[in-house]
Amino acid sequence: MTAPITVLRDTHPLPVLDACKWEKLEGDPHTVNLNAYTSEDGSKIMGTWICTPGKWRVDYVKWEYCHFQEGYCIITPDGMEPIHLRAGDIFVIEPGMKGTWEVVETVRKYFVFA
């Protein structure tokens, strides 16, 4: 049985470099994932994502909560206007969102995938 509460106070995640599977469209972006928690079945993940400037084609199959801590990016859902996101912004991306994700200034975000 899974514990009803997981305290992550002393978590020391190992960095995973360039694990992003999205198609690179522009630049030479590099990523670091610091996954602090993954559920037993792998369906839920949370941690920190750091990314240098570049642009990807994205296709979301999971729900994602994001809290930008640093940087600036532009997410453009297909057929919609660009959404500019900066440090301090909190947002959710729904499954099925397709478009582009452009990191303009190196981004550090806290994320939860579910």
Side-chain angles (χ1 to χ4, degrees), residues 32-72:
V32 177
N33 281 51
L34 300 167
N35 296 344
Y37 172 82
T38 302
S39 63
E40 286 182 19
D41 65 1
S43 67
K44 297 172 191 73
I45 302 169
M46 60 148 286
T48 300
W49 184 72
I50 302 164
C51 183
T52 61
K55 188 174 186 178
W56 286 271
R57 175 81 189 148
V58 297
D59 182 355
Y60 272 76
V61 295
K62 288 186 146 194
W63 176 93
E64 183 183 15
Y65 163 93
C66 300
H67 181 185
F68 267 29
Q69 298 162 331
E70 298 174 15
Y72 166 51

Side-chain angles (χ1 to χ4, degrees), residues 2-96:
T2 302
I5 297 174
T6 302
V7 178
L8 302 172
R9 184 177 303 117
D10 297 321
T11 300
H12 300 286
L14 297 175
V16 179
L17 305 177
D18 293 323
C20 186
K21 295 181 175 149
W22 294 336
E23 174 190 0
K24 289 182 187 180
L25 299 176
E26 294 177 13
D28 186 28
H30 294 280
T31 63
V32 177
N33 281 51
L34 300 167
N35 296 344
Y37 172 82
T38 302
S39 63
E40 286 182 19
D41 65 1
S43 67
K44 297 172 191 73
I45 302 169
M46 60 148 286
T48 300
W49 184 72
I50 302 164
C51 183
T52 61
K55 188 174 186 178
W56 286 271
R57 175 81 189 148
V58 297
D59 182 355
Y60 272 76
V61 295
K62 288 186 146 194
W63 176 93
E64 183 183 15
Y65 163 93
C66 300
H67 181 185
F68 267 29
Q69 298 162 331
E70 298 174 15
Y72 166 51
C73 82
I74 302 166
I75 299 176
T76 307
D78 288 346
M80 297 179 71
E81 292 295 314
I83 300 166
H84 297 259
L85 299 158
R86 293 181 168 77
D89 286 341
I90 298 172
F91 57 98
V92 170
I93 299 175
E94 297 292 341

